[in-house]
Amino acid sequence: MSTTNNFCGRTRREFLWQAGGGFGSVALTGLLSGDGFFSKSAQAADSTNPLAVKPPHFAPKAKSVIFLFMYGGPSHIDTFDHKPDMIGMDGKTVDVKTFGRGGHKTGGRIVEPRWKFKQYGESGQWVSELFPHLSGCVDDIAFLKSMTADSPIHGSAMLMMNSGKILSGSPALGSWVNYGLGTENENLPGFVVMLDPTGGPISGAKNWSSGYMPATYQATQMRSKGAPIIDLAPPEGMSRAAQRTLLDSLNAANTDHLALRSDNSDLAARIASYELAFKMQKHAPEAVDISQETAETQKMYGLDNKRTEDFGKRCLYARRLVERGVRFIQLYSGGNHNDNNWDAHGDLEKNHNYHAGNTDQPIAALLKDLKQRNLLDETLVVWGGEFGRQPTAEYAKGSGRDHNAFGFTMWMAGGGIKGGQSVGTTDELGSRAVENPLHVKRLHATILNQLGLDPNRLSYFYGGLDQKLVGVEPVEPIAEVI
């Protein structure tokens, strides 16, 4: 805002604030309007369809994102971060600073990796025995082995991974994508989340909320059992023609109301949501009708095995949704508490054998299926949890590990990502990132970049500020994987 006019040493803004009500408040409104303050707050409601397709900032590499969220925190040193120096150290006490659920510690008992590692693919990437199927896809995968986050506690770490903030109230990553790009398919939601059958993560719907954005940008939950989307069927006895007439009348009234309130983004979002729900009644059932898939495809995803059936079905749903233009899909492996997710505080072997066994085949099938359909190049697949796990035991006995936000592994594939490589390293025990630490914000910046969105330009005006997923300070995508 201009501050060239000065009244007794005060800027014109300060003068008007001190003038109080009456003429001062009227003048202040004029000045703020001239600076674009009020027009900014209405930017999300410029269209009666908030999900209308918007141009990217530059040519994108990816059109859609599938985020495979391993809730609870998989152990990087037992999955993809090979630590040969730990072999033979089991039970030895070492001085290593850790911070997790058990608080700050300065040492502990080594739990050496419980699974053997081998190199795979032309790139020779290391993968443990936990992933016999996924190991065949490493040449398409970029492993990020020096990830860091700000919190070692599930709730806040989940929020950071999903929204870029450790506090609730901010839009999820999928909401930012749909706000920035809109959706190419107006018959399906732009942001879908599929939870584990055992329940949702600890901080619940905050992880897929649209926060301070209109509700149109929040995720639609889809289930693998029963009706895919709850409350989607019309009331009994209500014909589609009658429903259309009722909806037209409602939309006409809402549109007249919106015409005099162009800055009401919530109303614009509500109008759009009614239309989307009506269209989804017809198109959503077909999108998740896996009976259209061949028996060979269903078997590839593990639908013939009770262990892999659920996650396999959700991975297959994800492939069908990206085929139909859905922008952002998030699948959760693990829900509820304790060993219902990857949070291996007690028996590491039992926990990780179970969850890796449920997901390995379906995830490998998803990557191979996308690739053979020429969809992997335009679909960005992300794998990881909210943090990793410590190299030392949490308790006096057992193989359980505590949380580790100082260094952990995630991976990306497709969507313009250069596979067959590892970026960054942790120390010899995997306790913290030492080479090229990659904060969660860098991951978010990379995802946006691959979608053609400048992470430092994409903003939403709220609370008097241009809010950004990556925060105030400029954040660069991970150049090594692009």
Side-chain angles (χ1 to χ4, degrees):
M1 175 174 287
S2 172
T3 57
T4 54
N5 292 337
N6 194 284
F7 303 86
C8 299
R10 292 171 292 174
T11 66
R12 60 177 180 160
R13 174 179 281 179
E14 291 169 336
F15 179 84
L16 291 168
W17 275 118
Q18 293 170 19
F23 173 76
S25 60
V26 173
L28 176 62
T29 300
L31 289 172
L32 292 175
S33 297
D35 284 341
F37 186 92
F38 296 113
S39 61
K40 276 187 175 182
S41 63
Q43 65 182 5
D46 288 342
S47 171
T48 54
N49 180 10
L51 286 176
V53 175
K54 306 181 185 86
H57 296 147
F58 46 82
K61 295 291 186 181
K63 293 181 178 179
S64 302
V65 177
I66 299 175
F67 196 140
L68 306 168
F69 204 114
M70 307 294 110
Y71 167 49
S75 172
H76 50 294
I77 57 179
D78 293 289
T79 53
F80 303 113
D81 193 1
H82 183 39
K83 297 300 178 187
D85 290 346
M86 292 183 68
I87 305 303
M89 294 183 66
D90 204 49
K92 293 184 178 179
T93 301
V94 294
D95 293 328
V96 55
K97 292 183 179 180
T98 63
F99 179 31
R101 186 180 71 171
H104 290 275
K105 297 180 180 179
T106 57
R109 172 176 58 88
I110 286 285
V111 175
E112 69 179 53
R114 291 309 198 234
W115 295 269
K116 294 180 180 179
F117 278 70
K118 284 178 57 179
Q119 288 179 287
Y120 294 90
E122 294 183 5
S123 57
Q125 299 301 305
W126 290 94
V127 180
S128 85
E129 296 172 315
L130 279 171
F131 299 103
H133 294 88
L134 190 60
S135 60
C137 303
V138 295
D139 288 335
D140 292 314
I141 294 173
F143 295 94
L144 309 176
K145 295 186 176 179
S146 54
M147 292 295 301
T148 67
D150 292 347
S151 172
I153 307 302
H154 289 296
S156 51
M158 289 282 295
L159 289 174
M160 166 155 278
M161 188 60 70
N162 280 312
S163 72
K165 307 289 191 301
I166 61 173
L167 301 177
S168 61
S170 295
L173 175 57
S175 299
W176 279 104
V177 170
N178 278 273
Y179 162 69
L181 295 175
T183 179
E184 293 183 339
N185 189 336
E186 295 186 358
N187 300 319
L188 293 171
F191 178 16
V192 169
V193 62
M194 291 183 260
L195 302 179
D196 193 274
T198 59
I202 192 168
S203 41
K206 297 174 183 178
N207 289 290
W208 52 89
S209 164
S210 57
Y212 45 72
M213 290 183 183
T216 301
Y217 300 114
Q218 71 183 7
T220 297
Q221 288 190 54
M222 190 172 286
R223 307 184 301 174
S224 58
K225 294 182 180 180
I229 301 174
I230 61 174
D231 298 326
L232 189 62
E236 187 176 351
M238 172 73 75
S239 70
R240 191 162 180 83
Q243 192 177 14
R244 179 71 263 178
T245 300
L246 180 63
L247 190 60
D248 286 343
S249 298
L250 182 61
N251 282 352
N254 281 335
T255 301
D256 288 343
H257 191 66
L258 179 63
L260 301 176
R261 300 161 180 83
S262 61
D263 62 338
N264 192 331
S265 61
D266 289 336
L267 182 54
R270 186 174 303 170
I271 295 171
S273 68
Y274 289 152
E275 284 296 322
L276 175 61
F278 180 75
K279 294 172 182 176
M280 283 171 57
Q281 288 178 345
K282 180 179 180 180
H283 296 276
E286 183 278 333
V288 293
D289 182 8
I290 59 175
S291 67
Q292 300 176 13
E293 302 289 338
T294 65
E296 181 183 8
T297 297
Q298 294 188 42
K299 184 176 181 180
M300 179 173 70
Y301 278 89
L303 270 59
D304 59 339
N305 185 331
K306 288 186 178 180
R307 280 288 303 276
T308 52
E309 181 183 12
D310 177 80
F311 200 80
K313 185 180 291 185
R314 286 187 279 143
C315 284
L316 186 50
Y317 283 171
R319 192 220 79 206
R320 292 179 62 86
L321 290 174
V322 297
E323 280 183 310
R324 288 157 177 77
V326 176
R327 290 282 188 197
F328 197 98
I329 303 153
Q330 190 173 48
L331 283 69
Y332 280 88
S333 163
N336 204 298
H337 300 291
N338 301 323
D339 282 333
N340 279 335
N341 58 56
W342 292 77
D343 195 21
H345 288 281
D347 190 333
L348 177 71
E349 294 97 323
K350 177 183 177 182
N351 179 287
H352 276 32
N353 277 326
Y354 177 74
H355 292 291
N358 290 352
T359 59
D360 172 45
Q361 180 180 343
I363 294 174
L366 175 63
L367 293 178
K368 293 175 181 177
D369 199 14
L370 288 170
K371 190 171 184 178
Q372 71 184 13
R373 294 171 187 270
N374 296 318
L375 288 170
L376 186 59
D377 286 343
E378 61 186 43
T379 306
L380 179 59
V381 182
V382 182
W383 181 98
E386 61 269 40
F387 39 56
R389 309 205 78 80
Q390 304 286 1
T392 51
E394 182 171 4
Y395 304 120
K397 295 182 179 181
S399 58
R401 304 186 190 276
D402 203 352
H403 310 162
N404 184 358
F406 297 133
F408 57 99
T409 297
M410 298 183 71
W411 58 253
M412 308 175 81
I417 294 298
K418 182 181 178 181
Q421 64 168 325
S422 295
V423 178
T425 62
T426 52
D427 60 26
E428 67 277 8
L429 299 178
S431 67
R432 63 181 57 243
V434 292
E435 179 188 339
N436 194 11
L438 302 171
H439 192 272
V440 170
K441 292 179 184 294
R442 299 283 305 279
L443 175 75
H444 290 164
T446 307
I447 293 171
L448 294 181
N449 181 83
Q450 297 309 95
L451 292 166
L453 295 170
D454 184 339
N456 300 303
R457 282 177 57 196
L458 181 65
S459 64
Y460 186 93
F461 193 72
Y462 173 76
L465 298 172
D466 284 324
Q467 307 283 350
K468 299 175 185 177
L469 170 66
V470 296
V472 176
E473 297 295 327
V475 177
E476 294 300 318
I478 304 170
E480 295 91 334
V481 303
I482 296 173

